[in-house]
Amino acid sequence: MTKHSKLLSLAACLSTAFAASAAMAADAPAAAQSKVDLPRTLEGYVAQDKAFWDYLKANHPYFKYLKEGRVVGKFTMSDRNEEWVEFGGGDKYAQKTGRHTAVTYRLPYESFLDLPNNFVGPKKCGECHPSQYEKWERSRHNKIVRFPEELTEVGGDMKKPLYNSKASVLPEGIEADDVFVIMGTPRTKYGFVDKWLVRGTYHVEDGNLGKGTGKIVAGGNQFSRNWAEHLTPEVVKKINAWDPTFPTKLEDFGAQSSNVWGFNSYGASNRTQAMFQPGSSYCEICHTWKFDFKSQDELFAALGDSKKLRSHVVAKGVSCEECHGAGAHLYGARGAGMPSDCERCHQRFVYNENDAKNNFKTPFNSYFKSFCPACGTEGSQSHYTKHYQKGMRCTTCHDPHEVTSNDWASHYTVPNLKKECQDCHTTAAEFFAQGGTHSRNSCTSCHMPMLGSCENFASIQRPDLAGFDNVRKSHIWRILVDPEKKSINPPEGATDRKLSSPKGWHLTKDDGRPYLDLMWTCGRTAFADKNQVDALGCHSPIQSKFPEPLRFKDQKTIYNKVVAWQTPVKEGYAKITADLLTISDMLEVSKISNADKAQVQVYAEQARTIAAKIKDDGSWGVHAPKYAKQLVQEGQVFTEQALAILNQKPATAKK
């Protein structure tokens, strides 16, 4: 048989084999084939949630309580369509563009409703990636979703009063056996997901959820460390003396209040309304969990039984498969690489019509829950900055496996950074090292103040006063030196700034980029900001331990101090650059000796180097007022010496 004949024979055999394989696939039962066309549409994700909703309406105790008239407050049904399609201006964006978009909440790579579950869990990944596993295990990403018994900071006691308050991890009428997991860490808050995988936006009065007794009440559902430890009855009176609108009594906190100081109403308004929200439409987007269920029947059979649910968990928190896909490369490369990344949870946008009108290139803004940027908006804050436009991304600075460098249980966040500000901004670092008292701080103390909130707490957020619910680092960096302009503003057309409604508040853009105002950089109140705590409260009127004149209560005061530093530096720089132009022009026509010309050029180069350093630093004296002022004075001496040589009269020749 010739080589050509062999190839023809092989082709015939392969053709027969492929035909047989296709016939077998056609005869295979439907259950063995994919039930979902991938990639599914956004609407396809919404449709996937229907069976779970049907189960909950038939089995979740809320509906029994409701039927019996034992519910206080109106509960709205919050599903994937609301969260993923309509939320964040998605409906308005669709009207404008003709396409549906998940503007605010990004889809998880795979949901626990994708059955069979193909997750393998982080321990499996750790078999081959021990270094990455150890870093991840120490970080808050691993700890943000835990079983009740895993809360070592309270010894597993969900009813233990915390931080000298009466508030505990779980609210009234909810016990450890009633919940699937606890979400949160000692850094900010604790919330719960009940054993039907529904977000805990409620508490139970005069009874117990597991026993079906008492009344389900909207709100009063979440522990807040900020309220329990810092915004105590004594501290809020101090704030009220500065801002008379600030609440001092529990009932004055309005919708965010509860019946216990330290508990608040999140995803709810106290006793009036709440969201009935399955974890599939919200929680699992970021604070997620992974099961090993093989079928819908198996999943539904475990709902309502916390121990059975937990026995099927293979991962929880932000683990390997959140970014690398279910099973990662262990399932034939179906999830190899990075099908998701930091931006899924940390780039929450809203479509802003006014921003779109002002600049079609920047139509999105950061998502606000109230008057301050919400949690998870770090990426959207940075999106229009020069850093982002120059190619910087989260992993430029952050190690994604070790996002928490310090003890995860600490009140403060100290991330493990691959790159520090001074690695790129070397001149600014040189100036800052000469900055006196401020040099003991870090670049992030001023350029990354805590600006964002984890909550929807309009009653305690005062953006004009830079407080009092700030637990998330800003990622804007640029400080705008202005006596009045504010980073955060109400919607266009608002007649005042009285915080009557949180709707429409946004980060304001200057030349298409957001900025930090001086009150946020110098005068903020942020109890969870380690930089600020280490610096004796900086210049906060509430936190500061400095004398009264150094506690800044308004932006104009800060502006005047900054301008006092900048003015001599800016004026000196302007004088140096003007003199250098004069020196350059005079050198072209001067009749002085070559030796004198050389000296002039040496002086000019020294002055030019100083001017370049001043400009490259960019703070115009703020990083180091005395040092910068001294430098420009030296630069002026150099230009004055050069001009003196150029202006000398030529020597008269002797006869």
Side-chain angles (χ1 to χ4, degrees), residues 264-390:
N264 47 58
S265 299
Y266 184 46
S269 296
N270 188 41
R271 308 189 71 82
T272 59
Q273 65 180 45
M275 292 186 290
F276 183 89
Q277 193 174 58
S280 57
S281 66
Y282 183 74
C283 306
E284 74 161 342
I285 294 172
C286 296
H287 296 253
T288 189
W289 52 82
K290 305 301 182 191
F291 293 121
D292 62 3
F293 291 116
K294 302 307 178 189
S295 68
Q296 182 173 280
D297 289 343
E298 190 179 7
L299 166 63
F300 287 179
L303 292 174
D305 186 329
S306 58
K307 290 182 174 59
K308 186 178 291 186
L309 273 178
R310 293 171 197 161
S311 71
H312 283 276
V313 170
V314 296
K316 56 189 186 300
V318 180
S319 57
C320 314
E321 291 165 285
E322 294 310 312
C323 295
H324 296 287
H329 57 80
L330 299 179
Y331 281 133
R334 63 190 286 276
M338 290 283 289
S340 188
D341 59 17
C342 316
E343 292 180 352
R344 193 187 95 198
C345 297
H346 293 278
Q347 198 181 64
R348 293 181 180 181
F349 284 112
V350 292
Y351 174 63
N352 189 297
E353 290 183 290
N354 288 323
D355 279 9
K357 290 176 183 176
N358 293 334
N359 187 341
F360 73 94
K361 292 183 178 180
T362 62
F364 297 102
N365 210 290
S366 290
Y367 166 47
F368 277 53
K369 291 180 180 178
S370 291
F371 299 109
C372 292
C375 57
T377 59
E378 294 84 1
S380 59
Q381 291 176 40
S382 69
H383 190 73
Y384 295 121
T385 65
K386 282 188 176 180
H387 280 154
Y388 193 92
Q389 292 164 359
K390 292 290 186 180

Side-chain angles (χ1 to χ4, degrees), residues 12-28:
C13 291
L14 289 173
S15 177
T16 302
F18 284 137
S21 177
M24 289 174 65
D27 293 337

Side-chain angles (χ1 to χ4, degrees), residues 412-571:
Y412 309 111
T413 293
V414 181
N416 180 38
L417 296 176
K418 295 157 51 179
K419 190 178 285 293
E420 303 274 1
C421 307
Q422 56 267 34
D423 293 339
C424 295
H425 300 280
T426 54
T427 304
E430 177 190 334
F431 275 73
F432 191 64
Q434 304 295 326
T437 300
H438 283 159
S439 67
R440 294 196 288 269
N441 300 336
S442 70
C443 307
T444 60
S445 297
C446 299
H447 287 278
M448 296 184 71
M450 284 198 164
L451 178 80
S453 169
C454 287
E455 321 298 357
N456 182 20
F457 296 156
S459 62
I460 61 173
Q461 293 179 11
R462 299 291 188 275
D464 285 358
L465 305 181
F468 298 91
D469 180 35
N470 320 313
V471 294
R472 308 289 293 223
K473 283 283 190 183
S474 65
H475 283 63
I476 297 172
W477 299 292
R478 182 173 66 131
I479 299 171
L480 188 69
V481 179
D482 189 277
E484 298 179 349
K485 287 185 178 179
K486 293 292 187 179
S487 306
I488 301 172
N489 284 286
E492 290 188 16
T495 57
D496 59 46
R497 308 176 65 88
K498 292 182 180 178
L499 309 179
S500 55
S501 170
K503 291 184 178 179
W505 283 70
H506 59 282
L507 291 173
T508 305
K509 299 190 182 90
D510 177 72
D511 192 28
R513 295 186 292 141
Y515 58 84
L516 295 167
D517 66 47
L518 291 172
M519 197 68 191
W520 279 109
T521 57
C522 303
R524 69 187 175 277
T525 301
F527 299 102
D529 189 333
K530 190 176 191 302
N531 287 330
Q532 189 159 349
V533 172
D534 288 347
L536 302 179
C538 293
H539 301 286
S540 162
I542 307 303
Q543 262 180 293
S544 181
K545 293 179 172 57
F546 294 129
E548 189 66 30
L550 292 177
R551 302 178 188 182
F552 300 149
K553 295 184 178 181
D554 63 86
Q555 189 164 312
K556 185 68 178 292
T557 299
I558 304 170
Y559 173 79
N560 289 337
K561 290 185 177 295
V562 170
V563 168
W565 287 339
Q566 289 187 328
T567 297
V569 177
K570 286 185 175 181
E571 290 177 348

Side-chain angles (χ1 to χ4, degrees), residues 387 391-399 417-420 424:
H387 280 154
M392 286 181 60
R393 297 296 182 266
C394 308
T395 54
T396 303
C397 299
H398 293 278
D399 181 343
L417 296 176
K418 295 157 51 179
K419 190 178 285 293
E420 303 274 1
C424 295

